[in-house]
Amino acid sequence: MQVIQQKLTATCAQLTGYLHQPDTNAHQTNLPAIIIVPGGSYTHIPVAQAESLAMAFAGHGYQAFFLEYTLLTNQQPLGLAPVLDLGRAVNLLRQHAAEWHIDPQQITPAGFSVGGHIVALYNDYWSSRVATELEVAPATLKPNNVILGYPVISPLLGFPKDDATLATWTSTPAELAADQHVNSDNQPTFIWTTADDPIVPATNTLAYANALATAKIPYELHVFKHGPHGLALANDQTAWKPDANQPHVAHWLTLALEWLADNR
């Protein structure tokens, strides 16, 4: 396996990839790609968790990447800067698809917590705001599917919890309300959360699923009964406290992999 790192901006955004080398005996040498967009409340990137998530997909035959994006320490208000970083990452994968043995029709961003916020907004804006800001053809930026794990969807739905923090995100909260900007260009979406998430209310996930249903965008939704925020793989590998090891919730990965295979 080859490990690569690519700077996306002159300052902070970076993409790390774990690339399988082609198997000349395999029927298909180009592999689907996953871009993990981790959480961290826009204040930090939990690199170890992002690596674990990326390697979990790499173990199932994906060219796996994780994104380090613009944080509040780099820019305030943050606005859509992290969403543009994801656009740069998708564009880079398509530019290097042949070199990195990626199927350019199988690129899936997968976001967790505020990373889910970035991915949900990207799903809304890739063909409009992102394409315009980056001056890139929309087709180059298109996600083929997206995955959202316990996502923040809107700053109007319970996270962040105070106006001072929200002011560091944006002066126009509606712009960052991903459920309000779903449109016909949104791509199929897999969403999971826990019903009793104490940090990001499950109403975030439900609002986005409802918006997708209204727009007739294909989606799959899983709301597990119990689990703290930040579950990642929901197993011993990523559990940050005993209650974050949730074997039932850990089935989300198998469900997501089955869903992705069904959408190829």
Side-chain angles (χ1 to χ4, degrees):
M1 179 172 285
Q2 179 186 6
V3 180
I4 63 166
Q5 288 187 323
Q6 294 280 321
K7 296 291 288 184
L8 299 174
T9 65
T11 53
C12 51
Q14 177 173 281
L15 193 68
T16 300
Y18 304 92
L19 303 180
H20 296 277
Q21 300 307 298
D23 183 348
T24 55
N25 295 317
H27 173 69
Q28 183 179 5
T29 56
N30 288 338
L31 299 174
I34 196 94
I35 303 173
I36 301 298
V37 187
S41 298
Y42 289 126
T43 62
H44 66 286
I45 301 290
V47 172
Q49 186 183 92
E51 288 177 340
S52 295
L53 286 160
M55 293 304 294
F57 280 92
H60 288 276
Y62 282 75
Q63 304 290 43
F65 300 81
F66 75 85
L67 175 66
E68 296 174 72
Y69 48 82
T70 304
L71 300 172
L72 290 167
T73 50
N74 309 121
Q75 176 179 317
Q76 291 188 24
L78 196 59
L80 292 175
V83 181
L84 298 179
D85 292 337
L86 179 54
R88 294 181 180 98
V90 173
N91 185 37
L92 189 70
L93 262 61
R94 287 216 164 87
Q95 288 178 342
H96 292 272
E99 175 188 353
W100 293 344
H101 306 287
I102 291 170
D103 180 349
Q105 301 305 312
Q106 293 297 328
I107 296 176
T108 301
F112 300 82
S113 190
V114 296
H117 189 218
I118 294 166
V119 173
L121 288 167
Y122 187 79
N123 201 16
D124 296 345
Y125 287 141
W126 64 269
S127 64
S128 53
R129 298 284 298 276
V130 180
T132 299
E133 291 284 342
L134 298 184
E135 298 182 341
V136 174
T140 307
L141 299 172
K142 179 181 178 182
N144 301 102
N145 310 282
V146 305
I147 293 172
L148 307 177
Y150 44 91
V152 175
I153 290 298
S154 169
L156 307 174
L157 292 173
F159 189 90
K161 310 238 178 235
D162 61 275
D163 291 341
T165 301
L166 177 56
T168 67
W169 288 24
T170 182
S171 59
T172 54
E175 179 184 54
L176 300 186
D179 57 310
Q180 296 183 20
H181 300 283
V182 171
N183 61 83
S184 61
D185 285 338
N186 280 63
Q187 296 303 296
T189 304
F190 181 97
I191 320 174
W192 70 275
T193 193
T194 58
D196 60 351
D197 187 319
I199 304 298
V200 177
T203 48
N204 282 263
T205 289
L206 298 174
Y208 200 67
N210 184 63
L212 293 169
T214 300
K216 296 182 169 51
I217 304 298
Y219 72 96
E220 182 164 320
L221 169 65
H222 297 273
V223 181
F224 296 96
K225 177 177 69 173
H226 170 68
H229 190 70
L231 285 171
L233 294 171
N235 60 15
D236 274 334
Q237 184 180 0
T238 60
W240 54 276
K241 64 177 182 176
D243 195 37
N245 180 13
Q246 291 286 332
H248 179 56
V249 184
H251 291 303
W252 79 261
L253 179 60
T254 299
L255 293 167
L257 289 165
E258 291 173 350
W259 177 81
L260 286 167
D262 191 50
N263 282 341
R264 290 182 190 170

